[in-house]
Amino acid sequence: MKNKLYGNLIFELSREGRRGYSLPRNTFGDYEIPQELCRKDEAELPECDELTVVRHYTNLSNNNFGVDTGFYPLGSCTMKYNPKINEEMAALPQFQNLHPRQPAETTKGALALVTLLEKSLCELTGLAHFTFKPYAGAHGELTGLMTIDNYHRSHGDLQRKKVIVPDSAHGTNPASAAVCGLEIVEVKSGSDGQVDLEDLQRICSLCGDTVAAMMMTNPNTLGLFETHIPEIARLIHDCGGLMYYDGANLNPMLGACRPGDMGFDVMHINLHKTFSTPHGGGGPGAGPVGVREGLQEHFPFVSPYHGNFGVMMRAYAYILSLGREHVKEVGLLATLNANYIKESLKDVYELPIDTICCHEFVFDGLKDKSTGVTTMDVAKRLLDYGYHAPTIYFPLLFHESLMIEPTENESKETLDGFIAVMRQIAEEAKTNPDEVKTAPHTTPIGRVDDVLAAKHPVVTYRQMTAEATD
Ligand SMILES: *Cc1c(COP(=O)(O)O)cnc(C)c1O
């Protein structure tokens, strides 16, 4: 059982007079600090011995869950292993200590790296130029859409303001279009989970020369490869619009096929996803935007420097360590792993679109709906077994979406362990549903009220006195 001491705040561990440091004897004599610079009250600082401090923070850090501590099947985010060589490269002092306003002649190595990374990304995507300024995928979407908007304006096409977005799209797609001052037109998905071509034809004939672009993710957010991209690109190009590729799901296509060859004109890459940078908790990221030849002159000004350089270094180290011949295996293994889990669980979890998937797939909850056990319950129960939960309730196309992405670098043993636990939970849902519905039972805190936590967050902590904790 966990020692209760480590659940406390550092202030609660404080005891008057405890010291965690020792200073050398003062040989300089006292220095009189002017009275007006002195604080009126004592600083409220915890007083702890060094060992208590070390244990407190080490134990707190053990409450973190990350790719380095366990399997992390979060779909739509590509939380994959980040090889340690990347960290070593990104920490090289010659790069890490660069200042963005250093004279250009002293930063040639960094600029060379940007150029080499651009060349690699062009080769991998089939596009001609990249800008590295955007700080994340969503920022890349905005940059890409502004590029498209600038392009249309330069042709006097001021009426081109409509952006066609599939109903399965990630929320950032319509959000970026709106921020860019564009109008969103939603295109439906068919029963096969792909863009409904008839609906798109209807939209194209309706919107005609007001179409600015179509945004697509491929494989889409259901993990399905969109097989009609050439027809879709033709429809959009015939209207005079441009094709935007949301590169968040580039992982399974790496080395296998290229957005540029499929008819996309503009794209972003989430370097932190596909090219491995630890990015939990919202950062850091990099969302370089690539374009077809000729469009680069329409890049907008979105930030003064070359983006998050550390993420770019990790991406380049990752690409170099795989090399041309092994980069292909990323997509193949990611796809194999996802299909292996899907096939091993589809008899107990509902698979609404039963087809070969790419790097991720979506269940619609448990197959047996009579138990009342929801996707939320399954996700919470997984925590008891030491797994990070998959993505839940996204995409919005199904009521009980449970989206699993195993990534290319997980071993068969890890996948088998996860499959066994998912089957175990499906069994528990029948034999002991309350255990699942009240999970998690082994984490520092149980199930929080997520609606209340979002609407009425309690962001202060009532500190207990030292006596109360004794
Ligand atoms: C992650 C993701 C984004 C947003 O990217 P960020 O780097 O988090 O800003 C956009 N689209 C899809 C499909 C994604 O999975």
Side-chain angles (χ1 to χ4, degrees):
M1 194 167 153
K2 263 203 167 158
N3 187 332
K4 194 178 163 294
L5 203 56
Y6 302 119
N8 295 339
L9 294 187
I10 188 81
F11 282 95
E12 291 166 350
L13 302 175
S14 174
R15 294 293 179 274
E16 211 177 320
R18 290 264 165 88
R19 288 288 171 269
Y21 60 87
S22 60
L23 294 175
R25 186 187 296 279
N26 178 5
T27 56
F28 296 104
D30 283 346
Y31 178 77
E32 208 50 55
I33 300 172
Q35 202 50 44
E36 71 271 20
L37 295 181
C38 290
R39 53 187 310 143
K40 303 284 175 287
D41 312 301
E42 287 281 296
E44 263 188 57
L45 296 173
E47 298 179 82
C48 297
D49 57 280
E50 179 173 322
L51 184 55
T52 299
V53 173
V54 168
R55 285 188 181 151
H56 177 70
Y57 287 108
T58 305
N59 281 297
L60 278 184
S61 77
N62 284 343
N63 283 336
N64 278 341
F65 193 98
V67 179
D68 286 357
T69 51
F71 184 48
Y72 206 122
L74 198 73
S76 195
C77 293
T78 307
M79 303 297 280
K80 69 179 173 188
Y81 178 63
N82 308 286
K84 297 304 165 231
I85 183 81
N86 295 359
E87 299 306 313
E88 271 179 51
M89 295 301 110
L92 287 175
Q94 295 87 335
F95 287 105
Q96 198 182 35
N97 296 337
L98 285 175
H99 189 279
R101 307 205 66 174
Q102 249 172 265
E105 62 269 25
T106 67
T107 60
K108 285 192 174 158
L111 293 173
L113 186 134
V114 175
T115 308
L116 291 168
L117 178 59
E118 180 181 17
K119 273 197 181 145
S120 310
L121 296 182
C122 287
E123 186 175 332
L124 285 164
T125 60
L127 290 173
H129 301 275
F130 273 86
T131 170
F132 289 91
K133 299 201 164 190
Y135 288 101
H139 196 199
E141 289 172 30
L142 180 66
T143 308
L145 289 171
M146 287 169 82
T147 306
I148 291 172
D149 196 40
N150 288 345
Y151 166 82
H152 290 314
R153 282 166 189 268
S154 76
H155 287 79
D157 281 346
L158 303 182
Q159 80 290 357
R160 290 197 181 274
K161 291 289 176 196
K162 295 207 161 80
V163 177
I164 304 171
V165 179
D167 57 5
S168 65
H170 193 272
T172 52
N173 289 186
S176 301
V179 171
C180 195
L182 302 168
E183 268 171 64
I184 297 112
V185 182
E186 195 174 270
V187 57
K188 282 192 295 210
S189 302
S191 55
D192 60 354
Q194 297 191 34
V195 165
D196 183 336
L197 270 183
E198 272 178 33
D199 196 38
L200 184 63
Q201 270 157 352
R202 181 188 63 80
I203 290 171
C204 283
S205 56
L206 214 64
C207 298
D209 71 353
T210 62
V211 173
M214 165 136 189
M215 297 181 90
M216 286 192 76
T217 309
N218 197 26
N220 65 25
T221 58
L222 292 168
L224 304 174
F225 192 82
E226 296 272 358
T227 51
H228 303 298
I229 300 282
E231 289 102 305
I232 293 172
R234 204 171 312 121
L235 278 171
I236 299 299
H237 287 147
D238 283 352
C239 291
L242 295 180
M243 288 288 286
Y244 184 92
Y245 176 69
D246 175 338
N249 290 350
L250 187 64
N251 213 45
M253 302 218 313
L254 266 196
C257 50
R258 311 193 303 173
D261 298 340
M262 291 178 188
F264 287 101
D265 307 291
V266 182
M267 72 175 290
H268 77 260
I269 299 179
N270 308 58
L271 285 188
H272 46 291
K273 294 181 182 176
T274 310
F275 296 101
S276 81
T277 283
H279 62 276
V289 169
V291 292
R292 214 175 261 304
E293 188 59 50
L295 283 169
Q296 72 276 15
E297 59 210 55
H298 301 290
F299 278 143
F301 182 88
V302 291
S303 64
Y305 305 113
H306 278 304
N308 270 333
F309 190 67
V311 180
M312 290 154 66
M313 289 208 61
R314 289 177 179 86
Y316 192 57
Y318 185 66
I319 291 170
L320 280 192
S321 59
L322 286 171
R324 236 184 223 113
E325 72 262 49
H326 294 298
V327 88
K328 260 197 185 89
E329 289 164 31
V330 171
L332 294 176
L333 288 174
T335 302
L336 179 65
N337 285 356
N339 280 286
Y340 180 63
I341 295 184
K342 169 174 69 69
E343 291 303 310
S344 306
L345 291 176
K346 71 176 191 185
D347 59 322
V348 281
Y349 289 85
E350 179 88 37
L351 182 63
I353 300 177
D354 190 355
T355 174
I356 291 182
C357 66
C358 289
H359 62 309
E360 63 190 359
F361 62 93
V362 183
F363 283 134
D364 189 8
L366 281 159
K367 203 160 195 173
D368 181 355
K369 303 280 188 232
S370 70
T371 64
V373 169
T374 64
T375 279
M376 176 67 87
D377 302 329
V378 173
K380 295 292 184 194
R381 186 67 175 143
L382 272 171
L383 307 182
D384 283 337
Y385 288 103
Y387 291 94
H388 193 282
T391 294
I392 57 172
Y393 300 106
F394 176 83
L396 306 176
L397 295 177
F398 313 116
H399 288 298
E400 292 290 329
S401 286
L402 184 92
M403 180 185 220
I404 297 171
E405 175 175 1
T407 76
E408 70 277 5
N409 25 35
E410 298 295 347
S411 69
K412 180 166 182 296
E413 290 71 27
T414 300
L415 303 185
D416 285 337
F418 177 72
I419 289 164
V421 162
M422 286 290 281
R423 298 192 71 87
Q424 164 92 19
I425 295 173
E427 190 56 35
E428 286 172 358
K430 285 186 202 149
T431 55
N432 192 1
D434 282 341
E435 182 85 356
V436 186
K437 286 181 194 171
T438 53
H441 305 287
T442 62
T443 49
I445 52 168
R447 204 179 286 211
V448 293
D449 182 332
D450 48 358
V451 176
L452 203 65
K455 302 246 170 193
H456 301 287
V458 179
V459 292
T460 52
Y461 182 91
R462 205 170 58 81
Q463 193 180 324
M464 285 182 278
T465 59
E467 294 77 47
T469 57
D470 276 343

